[in-house]
Amino acid sequence: MNIMTDIVEVITMVAMILVVLGLVAYIIFAPYFAIINFIDRPQQRYTSKPQRCTTKTDKNYSYEILGCRSTDDDDIIKKRYRELVKKYHPDFTQSKGGDKSSMVFAKRRIQEINSAYEMIKRERGAFET
């Protein structure tokens, strides 16, 4: 009977260790996957030509390009804009050793990002940059 109790205790300890390891893995990797999905989402609508956001119908698309929502605070939008500019700026792409096609992509993408940010600024009353 004592052996059965020991086996049950060992199985319980192993189960608790696995639960703790699962929680730790979730805490470590969940933000990583959320960030990847958040960053890559605007690229799904990327076209070969940069989009100019000029009409009211482009408003939602502007937020999508920046990867944020229309309900987000100005500081969040500005932060997201700066992150994207840093990521896609042609000088930064060139310094990472990007080839000509990646430079063209970066130039077009930065034009989209700038256009979207300007549209949002006009809509919100040109918050400070």
Side-chain angles (χ1 to χ4, degrees), residues 17-88:
I17 290 171
L18 290 175
V19 168
V20 168
L21 287 175
L23 288 173
V24 169
Y26 177 77
I27 290 169
I28 292 172
F29 293 111
Y32 171 75
F33 290 116
I35 289 170
I36 289 175
N37 290 335
F38 185 71
I39 290 172
D40 292 339
R41 184 179 59 196
Q43 294 177 348
Q44 293 172 354
R45 291 186 58 180
Y46 180 76
T47 59
S48 60
K49 289 187 176 181
Q51 298 290 323
R52 297 288 181 200
C53 301
T54 55
T55 65
K56 289 184 179 180
T57 57
D58 293 332
K59 179 174 62 173
N60 291 333
Y61 183 59
S62 298
Y63 288 105
E64 187 175 333
I65 288 172
L66 294 181
C68 54
R69 294 180 299 262
S70 60
T71 57
D72 286 344
D73 189 41
D74 292 347
D75 293 332
I76 294 172
I77 293 171
K78 187 188 310 182
K79 182 180 177 185
R80 183 67 184 139
Y81 166 74
R82 289 181 177 169
E83 289 171 358
L84 290 172
V85 166
K86 182 179 178 185
K87 180 178 180 181
Y88 290 106

